[in-house]
Short mmCIF file of all heavy atoms in Angstrom, two decimals:
data_model
loop_
_atom_site.label_atom_id
_atom_site.label_comp_id
_atom_site.label_asym_id
_atom_site.label_seq_id
_atom_site.Cartn_x
_atom_site.Cartn_y
_atom_site.Cartn_z
N LYS A 1 -32.66 -21.72 -16.08
CA LYS A 1 -31.40 -21.98 -16.75
C LYS A 1 -30.49 -20.61 -16.46
O LYS A 1 -30.93 -19.62 -16.57
CB LYS A 1 -31.54 -22.07 -18.16
CG LYS A 1 -30.31 -22.38 -18.91
CD LYS A 1 -30.59 -22.68 -20.50
CE LYS A 1 -31.49 -23.93 -20.64
NZ LYS A 1 -31.59 -24.23 -22.01
N GLY A 2 -29.25 -20.93 -16.05
CA GLY A 2 -28.34 -19.90 -15.76
C GLY A 2 -27.14 -20.37 -14.90
O GLY A 2 -27.02 -21.49 -14.63
N ASN A 3 -26.30 -19.37 -14.53
CA ASN A 3 -25.02 -19.81 -13.81
C ASN A 3 -25.15 -19.38 -12.28
O ASN A 3 -24.19 -19.52 -11.55
CB ASN A 3 -23.87 -18.97 -14.43
CG ASN A 3 -23.70 -19.50 -15.83
OD1 ASN A 3 -23.75 -20.66 -16.05
ND2 ASN A 3 -23.36 -18.45 -16.82
N GLY A 4 -26.39 -18.92 -11.80
CA GLY A 4 -26.48 -18.45 -10.50
C GLY A 4 -26.46 -19.76 -9.57
O GLY A 4 -26.66 -20.93 -10.02
N PRO A 5 -26.23 -19.57 -8.34
CA PRO A 5 -26.18 -20.74 -7.38
C PRO A 5 -27.48 -21.50 -7.35
O PRO A 5 -27.36 -22.80 -7.11
CB PRO A 5 -25.81 -20.05 -5.99
CG PRO A 5 -26.19 -18.68 -6.20
CD PRO A 5 -25.92 -18.30 -7.58
N GLY A 6 -28.59 -20.89 -7.55
CA GLY A 6 -29.84 -21.62 -7.47
C GLY A 6 -30.34 -22.04 -8.88
O GLY A 6 -31.59 -22.45 -8.98
N GLN A 7 -29.49 -22.07 -9.89
CA GLN A 7 -29.88 -22.27 -11.20
C GLN A 7 -29.25 -23.50 -11.71
O GLN A 7 -28.19 -23.89 -11.15
CB GLN A 7 -29.71 -21.12 -12.17
CG GLN A 7 -30.47 -19.85 -11.82
CD GLN A 7 -30.16 -18.68 -12.72
OE1 GLN A 7 -29.07 -18.29 -12.89
NE2 GLN A 7 -31.24 -18.20 -13.37
N PHE A 8 -29.62 -24.03 -12.93
CA PHE A 8 -29.00 -25.14 -13.59
C PHE A 8 -28.50 -24.70 -14.93
O PHE A 8 -29.21 -23.97 -15.68
CB PHE A 8 -29.86 -26.30 -13.77
CG PHE A 8 -30.24 -26.94 -12.39
CD1 PHE A 8 -31.31 -26.59 -11.66
CD2 PHE A 8 -29.40 -27.98 -11.85
CE1 PHE A 8 -31.71 -27.10 -10.43
CE2 PHE A 8 -29.71 -28.56 -10.69
CZ PHE A 8 -30.82 -28.16 -9.94
N GLY A 9 -27.30 -25.09 -15.41
CA GLY A 9 -26.71 -24.59 -16.65
C GLY A 9 -27.09 -25.49 -17.77
O GLY A 9 -27.13 -25.06 -18.80
N ALA A 10 -27.12 -26.82 -17.51
CA ALA A 10 -27.30 -27.75 -18.69
C ALA A 10 -28.37 -28.82 -18.41
O ALA A 10 -28.87 -29.32 -19.43
CB ALA A 10 -25.93 -28.40 -19.05
N SER A 11 -28.48 -29.19 -17.21
CA SER A 11 -29.45 -30.48 -16.98
C SER A 11 -30.10 -30.32 -15.64
O SER A 11 -29.66 -29.71 -14.70
CB SER A 11 -28.62 -31.78 -17.10
OG SER A 11 -27.72 -31.80 -15.96
N LEU A 12 -31.41 -30.89 -15.67
CA LEU A 12 -32.18 -31.05 -14.42
C LEU A 12 -32.87 -32.36 -14.62
O LEU A 12 -33.82 -32.47 -15.30
CB LEU A 12 -33.18 -29.92 -14.33
CG LEU A 12 -34.21 -29.95 -13.20
CD1 LEU A 12 -33.52 -30.03 -11.90
CD2 LEU A 12 -35.13 -28.71 -13.15
N HIS A 13 -32.46 -33.28 -13.73
CA HIS A 13 -32.82 -34.73 -13.95
C HIS A 13 -33.80 -35.20 -12.99
O HIS A 13 -34.75 -35.95 -13.32
CB HIS A 13 -31.62 -35.63 -13.95
CG HIS A 13 -30.76 -35.58 -15.15
ND1 HIS A 13 -31.19 -35.85 -16.39
CD2 HIS A 13 -29.42 -35.22 -15.19
CE1 HIS A 13 -30.25 -35.65 -17.31
NE2 HIS A 13 -29.15 -35.21 -16.62
N ASP A 14 -33.81 -34.90 -11.73
CA ASP A 14 -34.68 -35.50 -10.76
C ASP A 14 -34.93 -34.60 -9.55
O ASP A 14 -34.17 -33.63 -9.30
CB ASP A 14 -34.12 -36.82 -10.24
CG ASP A 14 -35.19 -37.77 -9.71
OD1 ASP A 14 -36.34 -37.52 -9.99
OD2 ASP A 14 -34.83 -38.70 -8.97
N LEU A 15 -36.17 -35.01 -8.80
CA LEU A 15 -36.49 -34.19 -7.72
C LEU A 15 -36.96 -35.13 -6.64
O LEU A 15 -37.37 -36.31 -6.79
CB LEU A 15 -37.75 -33.29 -8.00
CG LEU A 15 -37.76 -32.37 -9.24
CD1 LEU A 15 -39.16 -31.72 -9.52
CD2 LEU A 15 -36.69 -31.24 -8.97
N ALA A 16 -36.84 -34.68 -5.27
CA ALA A 16 -37.22 -35.39 -4.17
C ALA A 16 -37.63 -34.37 -3.07
O ALA A 16 -37.15 -33.29 -3.07
CB ALA A 16 -36.24 -36.31 -3.66
N VAL A 17 -38.44 -34.87 -2.16
CA VAL A 17 -38.84 -33.95 -0.93
C VAL A 17 -38.48 -34.86 0.32
O VAL A 17 -38.57 -36.10 0.25
CB VAL A 17 -40.25 -33.47 -0.99
CG1 VAL A 17 -40.49 -32.58 -2.05
CG2 VAL A 17 -41.19 -34.76 -1.03
N ASP A 18 -38.05 -34.13 1.34
CA ASP A 18 -37.86 -34.81 2.57
C ASP A 18 -38.92 -34.68 3.59
O ASP A 18 -39.99 -34.14 3.24
CB ASP A 18 -36.43 -34.40 3.15
CG ASP A 18 -36.40 -32.90 3.63
OD1 ASP A 18 -37.56 -32.33 3.72
OD2 ASP A 18 -35.34 -32.39 3.84
N SER A 19 -38.71 -35.15 4.78
CA SER A 19 -39.79 -35.13 5.77
C SER A 19 -40.30 -33.77 6.20
O SER A 19 -41.35 -33.53 6.78
CB SER A 19 -39.49 -36.01 6.94
OG SER A 19 -38.37 -35.60 7.58
N ALA A 20 -39.30 -32.83 5.96
CA ALA A 20 -39.65 -31.36 6.25
C ALA A 20 -40.18 -30.57 5.10
O ALA A 20 -40.33 -29.38 5.08
CB ALA A 20 -38.37 -30.79 6.89
N ASP A 21 -40.40 -31.29 4.01
CA ASP A 21 -40.87 -30.63 2.66
C ASP A 21 -39.77 -29.77 2.00
O ASP A 21 -40.13 -29.03 1.30
CB ASP A 21 -42.13 -29.83 2.95
CG ASP A 21 -43.37 -30.73 3.18
OD1 ASP A 21 -43.28 -31.87 2.67
OD2 ASP A 21 -44.47 -30.26 3.64
N ASN A 22 -38.53 -30.06 2.42
CA ASN A 22 -37.45 -29.40 1.63
C ASN A 22 -37.36 -30.14 0.31
O ASN A 22 -37.62 -31.42 0.15
CB ASN A 22 -36.11 -29.50 2.30
CG ASN A 22 -36.11 -28.69 3.63
OD1 ASN A 22 -36.47 -27.51 3.53
ND2 ASN A 22 -35.66 -29.27 4.74
N LEU A 23 -37.10 -29.36 -0.79
CA LEU A 23 -37.03 -29.85 -2.17
C LEU A 23 -35.51 -30.16 -2.51
O LEU A 23 -34.63 -29.31 -2.35
CB LEU A 23 -37.70 -29.03 -3.10
CG LEU A 23 -37.66 -29.43 -4.61
CD1 LEU A 23 -38.46 -30.67 -4.80
CD2 LEU A 23 -38.05 -28.27 -5.44
N TYR A 24 -35.25 -31.40 -3.07
CA TYR A 24 -33.94 -31.69 -3.56
C TYR A 24 -33.92 -31.85 -5.07
O TYR A 24 -34.86 -32.59 -5.58
CB TYR A 24 -33.39 -33.04 -3.00
CG TYR A 24 -33.17 -32.95 -1.44
CD1 TYR A 24 -34.26 -32.76 -0.59
CD2 TYR A 24 -31.97 -33.04 -0.88
CE1 TYR A 24 -34.01 -32.66 0.79
CE2 TYR A 24 -31.64 -32.98 0.49
CZ TYR A 24 -32.70 -32.80 1.35
OH TYR A 24 -32.50 -32.72 2.69
N ALA A 25 -32.97 -31.24 -5.79
CA ALA A 25 -33.03 -31.30 -7.14
C ALA A 25 -31.61 -31.69 -7.67
O ALA A 25 -30.64 -31.20 -7.08
CB ALA A 25 -33.39 -29.93 -7.85
N VAL A 26 -31.51 -32.54 -8.52
CA VAL A 26 -30.24 -33.04 -9.08
C VAL A 26 -30.04 -32.72 -10.50
O VAL A 26 -30.95 -32.94 -11.34
CB VAL A 26 -29.97 -34.49 -8.69
CG1 VAL A 26 -30.83 -35.36 -9.57
CG2 VAL A 26 -28.45 -34.84 -8.99
N GLY A 27 -28.80 -32.16 -10.91
CA GLY A 27 -28.60 -31.85 -12.27
C GLY A 27 -27.13 -31.17 -12.31
O GLY A 27 -26.63 -30.74 -11.19
N ASP A 28 -26.63 -31.04 -13.48
CA ASP A 28 -25.36 -30.36 -13.56
C ASP A 28 -24.26 -30.85 -12.60
O ASP A 28 -23.39 -30.15 -12.15
CB ASP A 28 -25.39 -28.86 -13.29
CG ASP A 28 -26.06 -28.14 -14.36
OD1 ASP A 28 -26.37 -28.64 -15.50
OD2 ASP A 28 -26.36 -26.88 -14.20
N GLN A 29 -24.30 -32.26 -12.31
CA GLN A 29 -23.38 -32.82 -11.40
C GLN A 29 -23.33 -32.15 -9.95
O GLN A 29 -22.35 -31.85 -9.41
CB GLN A 29 -21.89 -32.72 -12.03
CG GLN A 29 -20.99 -33.84 -11.48
CD GLN A 29 -19.76 -34.04 -12.29
OE1 GLN A 29 -19.80 -33.95 -13.55
NE2 GLN A 29 -18.68 -34.40 -11.69
N GLU A 30 -24.60 -31.79 -9.60
CA GLU A 30 -24.79 -31.00 -8.27
C GLU A 30 -26.10 -31.38 -7.77
O GLU A 30 -27.07 -31.54 -8.43
CB GLU A 30 -24.66 -29.62 -8.54
CG GLU A 30 -24.47 -28.75 -7.34
CD GLU A 30 -24.20 -27.34 -7.58
OE1 GLU A 30 -24.86 -26.71 -8.46
OE2 GLU A 30 -23.28 -26.80 -6.86
N VAL A 31 -26.15 -31.46 -6.40
CA VAL A 31 -27.52 -31.44 -5.69
C VAL A 31 -27.75 -29.96 -5.13
O VAL A 31 -26.87 -29.45 -4.47
CB VAL A 31 -27.41 -32.47 -4.44
CG1 VAL A 31 -28.69 -32.43 -3.70
CG2 VAL A 31 -27.22 -33.82 -5.17
N LYS A 32 -28.93 -29.58 -5.34
CA LYS A 32 -29.37 -28.28 -4.74
C LYS A 32 -30.54 -28.62 -3.83
O LYS A 32 -31.56 -29.28 -4.13
CB LYS A 32 -29.85 -27.31 -5.75
CG LYS A 32 -28.76 -26.99 -6.77
CD LYS A 32 -29.21 -25.84 -7.76
CE LYS A 32 -28.16 -25.80 -8.93
NZ LYS A 32 -26.88 -25.27 -8.51
N VAL A 33 -30.63 -28.05 -2.53
CA VAL A 33 -31.73 -28.15 -1.58
C VAL A 33 -32.38 -26.83 -1.40
O VAL A 33 -31.78 -25.76 -1.05
CB VAL A 33 -31.12 -28.67 -0.25
CG1 VAL A 33 -32.21 -29.04 0.73
CG2 VAL A 33 -30.18 -29.90 -0.48
N LEU A 34 -33.69 -26.84 -1.63
CA LEU A 34 -34.52 -25.66 -1.49
C LEU A 34 -35.51 -25.80 -0.34
O LEU A 34 -36.09 -26.90 -0.14
CB LEU A 34 -35.26 -25.41 -2.71
CG LEU A 34 -34.46 -25.28 -4.08
CD1 LEU A 34 -35.32 -25.25 -5.26
CD2 LEU A 34 -33.39 -24.18 -4.02
N SER A 35 -35.73 -24.82 0.40
CA SER A 35 -36.72 -24.73 1.48
C SER A 35 -38.22 -24.83 0.85
O SER A 35 -38.35 -24.52 -0.33
CB SER A 35 -36.58 -23.41 2.27
OG SER A 35 -36.94 -22.33 1.51
N PRO A 36 -39.21 -25.08 1.61
CA PRO A 36 -40.58 -25.19 1.09
C PRO A 36 -41.00 -23.79 0.42
O PRO A 36 -41.83 -23.81 -0.45
CB PRO A 36 -41.38 -25.39 2.40
CG PRO A 36 -40.51 -26.19 3.30
CD PRO A 36 -39.14 -25.54 3.06
N ASP A 37 -40.32 -22.70 0.79
CA ASP A 37 -40.75 -21.37 0.10
C ASP A 37 -39.83 -21.15 -1.08
O ASP A 37 -39.82 -20.04 -1.68
CB ASP A 37 -40.66 -20.30 1.06
CG ASP A 37 -39.43 -20.01 1.80
OD1 ASP A 37 -38.42 -20.67 1.48
OD2 ASP A 37 -39.37 -19.11 2.63
N GLY A 38 -38.87 -22.02 -1.41
CA GLY A 38 -38.08 -21.88 -2.66
C GLY A 38 -36.75 -21.19 -2.39
O GLY A 38 -35.90 -21.13 -3.31
N LYS A 39 -36.30 -21.10 -1.15
CA LYS A 39 -35.01 -20.52 -0.85
C LYS A 39 -33.90 -21.59 -0.95
O LYS A 39 -34.13 -22.65 -0.43
CB LYS A 39 -35.00 -19.82 0.61
CG LYS A 39 -33.67 -19.28 0.97
CD LYS A 39 -33.76 -18.67 2.38
CE LYS A 39 -32.36 -18.19 2.84
NZ LYS A 39 -32.48 -17.74 4.28
N LEU A 40 -32.79 -21.30 -1.58
CA LEU A 40 -31.72 -22.20 -1.65
C LEU A 40 -30.98 -22.28 -0.21
O LEU A 40 -30.61 -21.35 0.31
CB LEU A 40 -30.67 -21.71 -2.67
CG LEU A 40 -29.45 -22.60 -2.86
CD1 LEU A 40 -29.81 -23.93 -3.47
CD2 LEU A 40 -28.34 -21.93 -3.78
N LEU A 41 -31.06 -23.51 0.32
CA LEU A 41 -30.48 -23.84 1.55
C LEU A 41 -29.03 -24.31 1.50
O LEU A 41 -28.20 -23.86 2.31
CB LEU A 41 -31.31 -24.85 2.29
CG LEU A 41 -32.81 -24.58 2.55
CD1 LEU A 41 -33.48 -25.73 3.23
CD2 LEU A 41 -32.87 -23.39 3.38
N ARG A 42 -28.72 -25.17 0.56
CA ARG A 42 -27.40 -25.70 0.30
C ARG A 42 -27.24 -26.44 -0.91
O ARG A 42 -28.28 -26.63 -1.62
CB ARG A 42 -26.99 -26.62 1.53
CG ARG A 42 -27.90 -27.78 1.77
CD ARG A 42 -27.62 -28.54 3.09
NE ARG A 42 -28.61 -29.44 3.43
CZ ARG A 42 -29.81 -29.17 4.04
NH1 ARG A 42 -30.05 -27.95 4.40
NH2 ARG A 42 -30.67 -30.19 4.24
N ARG A 43 -26.05 -26.57 -1.37
CA ARG A 43 -25.72 -27.33 -2.61
C ARG A 43 -24.37 -28.00 -2.45
O ARG A 43 -23.55 -27.52 -1.77
CB ARG A 43 -25.67 -26.31 -3.70
CG ARG A 43 -24.82 -25.13 -3.62
CD ARG A 43 -25.05 -23.95 -4.53
NE ARG A 43 -24.52 -24.24 -5.81
CZ ARG A 43 -23.60 -23.35 -6.32
NH1 ARG A 43 -23.01 -22.40 -5.74
NH2 ARG A 43 -23.11 -23.72 -7.55
N TRP A 44 -24.22 -29.04 -3.23
CA TRP A 44 -22.92 -29.77 -3.27
C TRP A 44 -22.79 -30.55 -4.46
O TRP A 44 -23.76 -30.82 -5.18
CB TRP A 44 -22.79 -30.63 -1.99
CG TRP A 44 -23.72 -31.86 -1.90
CD1 TRP A 44 -23.68 -33.09 -2.52
CD2 TRP A 44 -24.95 -31.95 -1.15
NE1 TRP A 44 -24.66 -33.88 -2.30
CE2 TRP A 44 -25.50 -33.25 -1.42
CE3 TRP A 44 -25.65 -31.06 -0.31
CZ2 TRP A 44 -26.59 -33.62 -0.80
CZ3 TRP A 44 -26.75 -31.39 0.28
CH2 TRP A 44 -27.36 -32.66 0.02
N SER A 45 -21.56 -30.82 -4.83
CA SER A 45 -21.14 -31.53 -6.10
C SER A 45 -21.26 -32.98 -5.86
O SER A 45 -21.05 -33.56 -4.77
CB SER A 45 -19.75 -31.13 -6.55
OG SER A 45 -19.67 -29.71 -6.83
N THR A 46 -21.46 -33.72 -6.99
CA THR A 46 -21.52 -35.23 -7.05
C THR A 46 -20.26 -35.58 -7.93
O THR A 46 -19.75 -34.78 -8.82
CB THR A 46 -22.75 -35.77 -7.66
OG1 THR A 46 -23.07 -35.22 -8.91
CG2 THR A 46 -23.96 -35.36 -6.64
N ALA A 47 -19.78 -36.84 -7.75
CA ALA A 47 -18.63 -37.26 -8.50
C ALA A 47 -18.87 -37.47 -9.92
O ALA A 47 -17.99 -37.17 -10.77
CB ALA A 47 -18.20 -38.68 -7.97
N LYS A 48 -20.16 -37.79 -10.33
CA LYS A 48 -20.53 -37.94 -11.70
C LYS A 48 -21.95 -37.19 -11.93
O LYS A 48 -22.60 -36.92 -10.90
CB LYS A 48 -20.68 -39.40 -12.14
CG LYS A 48 -19.47 -40.25 -12.13
CD LYS A 48 -19.77 -41.65 -12.43
CE LYS A 48 -18.58 -42.50 -12.51
NZ LYS A 48 -18.87 -43.92 -12.97
#
C-alpha cells in the first residue's frame, strides 16, 4: 500500500502471468507489469 509507482493505493483485484513469467496486477484503475524478480516493467491506466 502506498503512492509509489509499484504500489497500490486503494485496491488490488487480480493477478495473471504471461508466457515469460511476467506478473500482471490490476487495481487502482491501473495495470502494473512486474518481471519474474519483482521489478516494475511498465504500468498503464484503464478506463474504469
Side-chain angles (χ1 to χ4, degrees):
K1 187 176 293 187
N3 298 319
Q7 297 177 304
F8 292 93
S11 65
L12 173 55
H13 288 297
D14 201 18
L15 304 173
V17 292
D18 66 14
S19 59
D21 284 341
N22 294 312
L23 178 67
Y24 293 68
V26 67
D28 285 354
Q29 204 163 328
E30 189 173 48
V31 175
K32 300 182 193 294
V33 186
L34 308 175
S35 68
D37 61 3
K39 178 183 177 182
L40 180 65
L41 298 177
R42 53 193 174 275
R43 52 195 280 242
W44 65 83
S45 298
T46 57
K48 296 181 179 181

